[in-house]
Amino acid sequence: MNARDDILGRVRAALGRTERSREAARADVKTAFNAPAAGPRPLFDADLAARFRCEAERMSSTIDEVAALADVPAAVARYLDARALGRRGVVWPSLAGLDWAAAGLAMEARAAGDADLVGVTGCFCAIAETGTLMTCSGPRTPAATSLLPETHVAVVPMSRIVPAMEEAWALARSEIGELPRAVNFISGPSRTGDIEMTIVLGAHGPYRVHLVLVRGE
């Protein structure tokens, strides 16, 4: 027995813990984790998309809206052309099936590297209360695509907008189960106020965040 086991063994003995009581305590912790007590909550309007749009714009994101997922490539092309940002970029593999070429875009389905200037992603869900995107990393949803490029374009289905952080985590637990390696929350472009309390965008990540809201499938 090493020192750690010795110390923990004494603690368990002092608490009267047995293997049976330890399993019961573990079950109690799991129950409390899966159904946490709700604290005070703000009131939300029925139109979560409108609240999300308002809060996202406050965080310096720009927003477009399309009827269906198939309309996303054309919307991305319009945004890039309006700002002379080129027509090349990387896209989440989960969105590779969209017809990017028909919109005149050269999109590579992979994680972003340091030379990529435009990254197009989806999101796991979006949070109306703060105008925030929640992304969960995986082979088809690499985190780098939203972090490294100067311009981040995110596709946001309106059906995936939830009221607040509590609902976002509850959705993750129900749909994913075991959390992925990285869960990121993105509220507008990267920013810092380190120098004389002056906000500078693009300090540690994208200069621009553009959201394409999708009304249908």
Side-chain angles (χ1 to χ4, degrees), residues 33-121:
F33 180 78
N34 290 333
R41 301 288 304 278
L43 297 176
F44 292 97
D45 295 331
D47 193 345
L48 293 180
R51 173 68 181 268
F52 174 78
R53 177 192 285 267
C54 177
E55 296 299 327
E57 288 175 340
R58 286 181 58 198
M59 297 303 296
S60 303
S61 295
T62 54
I63 298 178
D64 194 3
E65 186 176 319
V66 297
L69 197 59
D71 301 322
V72 167
V76 174
R78 286 195 303 271
Y79 171 77
L80 296 178
D81 288 347
R83 290 157 180 80
L85 295 174
R87 285 187 157 231
R88 307 186 66 85
V90 292
V91 63
W92 271 2
S94 62
L95 296 173
L98 297 179
D99 198 350
W100 300 102
L105 299 176
M107 289 291 173
E108 297 181 43
R110 57 174 173 80
D114 58 358
D116 295 308
L117 299 181
V118 175
V120 180
T121 75

Side-chain angles (χ1 to χ4, degrees), residues 148-206:
L148 292 181
E150 293 182 356
T151 300
H152 174 206
V153 180
V155 181
V156 183
M158 288 187 180
S159 61
R160 300 293 292 185
I161 300 176
V162 299
M165 191 76 70
E166 291 87 345
E167 286 79 10
W169 281 116
L171 192 63
R173 285 193 292 269
S174 66
E175 292 189 358
I176 302 175
E178 184 176 349
L179 291 177
R181 183 177 183 184
V183 176
N184 292 307
F185 293 93
I186 301 168
S187 300
S190 169
R191 68 193 67 212
T192 183
D194 290 346
I195 301 175
E196 296 185 352
M197 303 295 289
T198 300
I199 296 297
V200 177
L201 298 183
H204 310 294

